[in-house]
Amino acid sequence: MLPDIDKLSLPEQVAQMIVVRASGFLFDHQIQYPVWEPPAATLQHWVQDLGVGGVILLGGSAGELAIRTQQLQKWAKTPLLIAADIEEGVGQRFSGSTWFPPPMALASIFRKDQKLGLDYAQKMGAITAQEALAIGINWVLAPVVDVNNNPDNPVINVRAFGETPDEVSQLACAFIRGAKTHPVLTTAKHFPGHGDTAVDSHLDLPVIPHSLQRLAEVELPPFAAAIASGVDTVMSAHLLIPSLDPQLPATLSHKILTGLLRQKLGFSGLITTDALVMGAIANRYGATEAVVMALLAGADILLMPVDPEEAISAVCTAVESGRISRSRIRESVERIWQAKSKVSCEPVTTTGFIERTAQKDSLEIVGEILQQSQIIHGSALALEQLIDVIKLNNKQKVNLYNIIIVDEIINCAFLDKSAPVITLTNQVGYKIQIVDSQTQNTSNLEENHPTLLQVFIRGNPFRGSAGLTKAAEDLFKKLLTTKGLQAFVLYGSPYVWQQFIHILPIEIPGVFSYGQMPAAQDRALRTLFGM
């Protein structure tokens, strides 16, 4: 039950506009990002005493999340919005749930068969929403509706549904339609378009130099389409776009959030900032001033402020000084109440959680998407002969090497001793060697033996992969020169695949997968080895 807004004090109303970050793990000693994720006592204080309006979660298993969200809702006097960045399904963030390939995989299917691509996008939305609710998440921070037309984009990349406004619009709207079959909120991000940047806004402020005409033709149509499809929230981008506002980034710009999004595009739902702890904002505008500026710009939700208590205090001070009106705060809280009345805040049950998470049909759809979006290089004869050559090498006791390149071994969600890149290659006789961006010396790698090279590269927030791409490319070329490359698999970026594949001889088999998770590894290697 939502309380009467007018019976809330000013600090209580402002607190409802705050969404804080927390760990999905249950115990303090499991917290992985202590700078951003508070200990339980602090989190309880924020939820129970300050009355923040929502929590965004990261980390832990689906089972742990089911318990965590119950705990959070029990602490709260007013039902919480509980959010997660689950653009690739709940399993992307919370192990055990269904983990889809990146959205760009659907674009590759859509280009060949529009009906099939849209069907998969809608099912992806529905499954994501169903599993989110099963573990207590009622706000899905997806879909990404940025048009990724910059191959060097380090932060959007394969998170986008494609490279053209049409494919992004159609696929994102299909995802929204699927998700709306369940009582969750959906989110179009990152307004007004983060697809043509070469800078990660988690670290610094990107600048988009495009004209108003270009923005109207490329960046804005997917947002207009998402709004027409009934998307519940729109997330701002930490971008400077001089043609729209030469001084302020979108998150802090009244011209962009109110003038363009509210008035011109007619969006009446919730506007949320992207995380206010991100370098593009926090490093330039400060922890408290950025919060006030975002509200003046038109934001309703202040996502991940550096210090929630200071943020509430700063907004209250701005109201008391006349800088922000009381009616402006009330407008946002009314929108938050409308959003909260749409979603389910019902307690999670063990039976419901198990019956609605990672079901056989969902996992089969993931497999179909992986299969349909997979790219195979090499002649049919080369693929057929690979396993025969491997058997002959084993019979002759020739050492076979499986070199795996990842960006960071110690923080790799898809690589452990049970990962198919290790287990399936072990089955056919390969020895493992792992390289990451911290590997200083690769001279000990076996390059004069038959080698399967498996590379994991995609754009990742906070982690550029440019250096890793260069290291992988150097090793790739060296293996070609020494005639050691037996087969090649790349998981992640189709742009990096294009860099490699144009110099890979037709007689050397290769496989590309948009996904990096175990299901993608399994599918790619079974294709390669004819299993």
Side-chain angles (χ1 to χ4, degrees), residues 20-89:
V20 299
R21 164 85 172 258
S23 172
F25 292 104
L26 297 176
F27 303 105
D28 286 350
H29 68 269
Q30 294 178 291
I31 289 174
Q32 297 182 332
Y33 304 96
V35 173
W36 293 343
E37 297 169 353
T42 302
L43 179 61
Q44 184 172 2
H45 168 61
W46 290 349
V47 172
Q48 192 168 278
D49 302 326
L50 296 185
V52 298
V55 179
I56 177 173
L57 294 165
L58 176 68
S61 68
E64 287 172 296
L65 254 287
I67 298 170
R68 180 60 132 176
T69 56
Q70 288 182 69
Q71 178 189 54
L72 290 168
Q73 294 288 14
K74 187 176 180 180
W75 285 343
K77 296 180 179 125
T78 300
L80 293 167
L81 292 177
I82 299 183
D85 280 305
I86 42 180
E87 302 158 4
E88 298 168 26

Side-chain angles (χ1 to χ4, degrees), residues 291-483:
V291 167
V292 174
M293 292 175 72
L295 289 188
L296 288 169
D300 301 302
I301 295 286
L302 302 168
L303 182 64
M304 290 174 60
V306 174
D307 185 314
E309 293 197 62
E310 287 187 7
I312 294 168
S313 177
V315 174
C316 289
T317 298
V319 172
E320 290 159 2
S321 69
R323 190 178 176 192
I324 299 176
S325 68
R326 288 289 295 254
S327 62
R328 169 69 188 83
I329 302 299
R330 198 183 192 287
E331 286 173 12
S332 285
V333 179
E334 284 178 353
R335 291 192 192 100
I336 293 166
W337 258 225
Q338 290 168 7
K340 288 189 173 184
S341 67
K342 292 181 183 179
V343 302
S344 172
C345 298
E346 293 297 316
V348 174
T349 65
T350 303
T351 303
F353 156 63
I354 293 173
E355 290 178 349
R356 291 187 291 155
T357 304
Q359 294 301 293
K360 181 182 177 183
D361 289 351
S362 302
L363 300 180
E364 287 177 350
I365 290 168
V366 169
E368 290 173 15
I369 295 171
L370 287 167
Q371 189 68 41
Q372 292 286 344
S373 61
Q374 191 171 254
I375 300 172
I376 301 172
H377 169 88
S379 64
L381 182 61
L383 282 165
E384 288 173 9
Q385 289 181 338
L386 176 62
I387 198 66
D388 292 330
V389 171
I390 291 170
K391 288 178 180 177
L392 179 61
N393 290 154
N394 287 327
K395 185 176 180 180
Q396 295 175 343
K397 301 192 182 305
V398 173
N399 286 328
L400 302 174
Y401 285 91
N402 171 26
I403 299 178
I404 300 170
I405 300 181
V406 297
D407 55 359
E408 193 176 12
I409 295 172
I410 60 174
N411 190 30
C412 197
F414 50 78
L415 185 63
D416 59 27
K417 64 182 181 181
S418 64
V421 287
I422 293 175
T423 58
L424 288 184
T425 54
N426 280 346
Q427 284 181 30
V428 294
Y430 284 97
K431 296 181 179 180
I432 307 296
Q433 292 183 313
I434 301 178
V435 178
D436 74 352
S437 56
Q438 303 303 312
T439 304
Q440 299 298 316
N441 183 8
T442 59
S443 61
N444 64 330
L445 293 178
E446 292 289 350
E447 298 158 0
N448 298 316
H449 295 272
T451 300
L452 164 63
L453 180 62
Q454 299 193 78
V455 180
F456 292 81
I457 297 180
R458 60 172 280 183
N460 283 304
F462 292 104
R463 297 185 310 213
S465 295
L468 179 62
T469 304
K470 180 65 167 59
E473 190 173 9
D474 288 347
L475 181 56
F476 179 80
K477 290 178 178 177
K478 187 178 288 188
L479 287 167
L480 284 178
T481 302
T482 62
K483 309 295 184 184

